[in-house]
Amino acid sequence: MARLPPLAVASGALLLLFVSVSPCRAAAGGGPSSVVLPVSKDDATQQYVTMFRQRTPQVPVKAVLDLAGTMLWVDCDAGYVSSSYAGVRCGAKPCRLLKNAGCAITCLDAPSAGCLNDTCSEFPKNTATSVSTAGNIITDVLSLPTTFRPAPGPLATAPAFLFTCAHTFLTQGLADGATGMVSLSRARFALPTQLADTFGFSRKFALCLPPASAPPSSSLATRPTHFHNQDEAIAMQ
Ligand SMILES: *[C@@H]1O[C@H](CO)[C@@H](O)[C@H](O)[C@H]1NC(C)=O
């Protein structure tokens, strides 16, 4: 499958859309009233993939959608370069809120996103292969487009989006180019929940997942009126 250019989407692909329950309040606070992500289907794996931007300087990250899971995980071994990541300390509130969290006390390698002392850890899982591992919980900048048509942008930025750092082997079995999985579950730190907390959205989203290379044939939406085009697919408000 051809690589998608950053935050662009092929014809027939889908969108992930998150909308504020109170656009006036969000606008008054300077925050976005919605965010919209592209979704496309990877023909080879039948997985649904999305794109967002992360880190400083920002880079595009391609990740597979997971309706389960506890939070976003990405490969922090291969080429994770950022000046804005920070580990979540073992005693910090997010760590206490996570049922399955552990504590990575000491890492003797050179400090990096995946190697930090006194850092909360969790068990990111590749739900396509059922392989799981332990990884640091860290925060970093995450940017998502607020509109999609006629062109992506402007970006809404969550300065400290929480996710788990996985090792490269966990990405085996994911769609070509994907370096992680996005959790769309109800969990405390899943994508919809964190975006709701960050931008004042409610914890609802809508989703349409048509077959590859075909117009959308089915949808799941809390407010279908937010689908402006046939190929817009996931909405949250
Ligand atoms: C963690 O602490 C140990 C012992 O103080 C130190 O040797 C090591 O370099 C530290 N690791 C990181 C990643 O900072």
Side-chain angles (χ1 to χ4, degrees):
M1 175 185 163
R3 290 276 173 89
L4 292 172
L7 295 176
V9 66
S11 170
L14 314 170
L15 301 178
L16 177 62
L17 173 65
F18 299 84
V19 181
S20 169
V21 68
S22 174
C24 296
R25 183 173 56 110
S33 57
S34 66
V35 295
V36 184
L37 283 87
V39 179
S40 60
K41 190 170 187 178
D42 179 69
D43 289 333
T45 59
Q46 303 288 298
Q47 294 165 0
Y48 292 95
V49 298
T50 190
M51 300 278 298
F52 49 85
R53 287 178 173 267
Q54 200 191 30
R55 309 167 205 178
T56 305
Q58 290 188 13
V59 292
V61 175
K62 183 173 167 181
V64 172
L65 295 182
D66 181 7
L67 293 175
T70 53
M71 68 179 92
L72 169 70
W73 65 260
V74 300
D75 175 9
C76 287
D77 285 349
Y80 194 101
V81 177
S82 178
S83 60
S84 51
Y85 74 83
V88 173
R89 296 212 173 263
C90 296
K93 191 176 174 190
C95 199
R96 296 199 305 269
L97 289 172
L98 281 161
K99 285 195 195 88
N100 294 327
C103 180
I105 297 168
T106 306
C107 182
L108 295 178
D109 291 341
S112 68
C115 179
L116 297 165
N117 284 342
D118 182 26
T119 300
C120 191
S121 64
E122 224 244 348
F123 299 94
K125 184 176 181 180
N126 179 329
T127 51
T129 59
S130 293
V131 174
S132 181
T133 185
N136 287 346
I137 297 175
I138 68 169
T139 61
D140 208 339
V141 173
L142 181 86
S143 285
L144 309 165
T146 49
T147 58
F148 212 79
R149 292 180 188 284
L155 297 175
T157 297
F161 193 88
L162 190 125
F163 64 100
T164 314
C165 272
H167 301 291
T168 305
F169 75 84
L170 202 66
T171 63
Q172 285 170 14
L174 296 185
D176 185 34
T179 57
M181 297 187 91
V182 174
S183 170
L184 296 178
S185 77
R186 293 166 176 264
R188 181 67 183 72
F189 298 106
L191 186 83
T193 322
Q194 279 200 67
L195 293 181
D197 288 352
T198 305
F199 297 128
F201 303 155
S202 67
R203 296 180 186 180
K204 293 178 184 171
F205 67 94
L207 166 65
C208 170
L209 299 174
S213 311
S217 61
S218 61
S219 68
L220 167 72
T222 52
R223 288 268 299 272
T225 50
H226 278 92
F227 293 119
H228 304 299
N229 293 286
Q230 271 208 325
D231 56 350
E232 292 185 358
I234 304 181
M236 177 186 171
Q237 53 197 308

